[in-house]
Amino acid sequence: MKHVAAYLLLVLGGNASPTADDVTKALASVGVEADDESLQRFMSEMEGKDLNEVLEAGQEMLAKFGSGGGGGGGAMTSSEVVF
């Protein structure tokens, strides 16, 4: 997740096509070490893809899950509290 976040921040900062080295440097600038294997896997997945299209596709996938939760249970009454 840290690689994705750094990549997105680099794009927002004006780097339209961040490299693995860019991501590594961005993470290092805040004291975070990049995981080379994970970063390379992420970069290969992003290769040749437009970020906006990737985000849009992800949003469509998330929409299939629906929204809203089942809600939590009600608060316990004083008669239900066990000491």
Side-chain angles (χ1 to χ4, degrees):
M1 207 59 181
K2 62 187 174 186
H3 304 112
V4 175
Y7 186 92
L8 291 173
L9 286 171
L10 288 164
V11 171
L12 287 172
N15 184 344
S17 203
T19 65
D21 191 46
D22 294 332
V23 172
T24 299
K25 287 179 184 176
L27 291 172
S29 73
V30 293
V32 177
E33 189 176 327
D35 172 5
D36 290 333
E37 182 181 332
S38 179
L39 177 56
Q40 290 306 319
R41 187 171 45 244
F42 170 70
M43 295 304 294
S44 68
E45 288 291 324
M46 290 301 296
E47 189 174 340
K49 295 181 181 174
D50 177 71
L51 180 60
N52 290 322
E53 291 174 4
V54 171
L55 292 174
E56 187 175 308
Q59 196 170 25
E60 290 172 7
M61 286 183 207
L62 287 175
K64 294 177 185 177
F65 287 105
S67 62
M76 293 175 53
T77 64
S78 60
S79 63
E80 296 175 316
V81 176
V82 178
F83 293 97

